[in-house]
Amino acid sequence: MANIQSAKKRIKVIKTKTLRNRMVKTQAKNAVKKFRKVLAEDLTVAQDQLKATSSALDKAVSKGVMHRNAASRKKSRLTKALNKAMAE
């Protein structure tokens, strides 16, 4: 355990930030899961869900939880999956 006051404060701050980061990551992951589920069921709803998923990924990037290239790659793959499903 830390003895110095600033180290004690850093422990508190890190705990708070970790919780926030975990929430943002979870929201992004859940949005992707929800999109994949909707994609298998209904294509018209999938288009709207893709927008929501992209938004969740962009929010994760803006908060510094996810790298922008990783989010871009995920959005690209999800869009590709939707386009492939629409073509069938």
Side-chain angles (χ1 to χ4, degrees), residues 3-59:
N3 293 325
I4 298 170
Q5 190 65 34
S6 61
K8 290 179 182 176
K9 181 183 177 186
R10 292 306 310 159
I11 290 170
K12 283 185 188 177
V13 170
I14 288 169
K15 187 182 281 188
T16 306
K17 287 187 174 190
T18 301
L19 287 172
R20 187 200 72 173
N21 289 344
R22 193 179 302 155
M23 283 189 341
V24 173
K25 275 185 194 176
T26 303
Q27 288 173 349
K29 286 179 185 179
N30 286 343
V32 171
K33 287 178 191 175
K34 192 173 182 181
F35 172 76
R36 291 196 185 281
K37 185 178 178 185
V38 168
L39 183 63
E41 296 170 1
D42 187 14
L43 293 178
T44 56
V45 179
Q47 290 176 328
D48 296 329
Q49 186 60 40
L50 180 63
K51 289 179 186 176
T53 303
S54 295
S55 176
L57 291 171
D58 288 337
K59 285 179 186 175

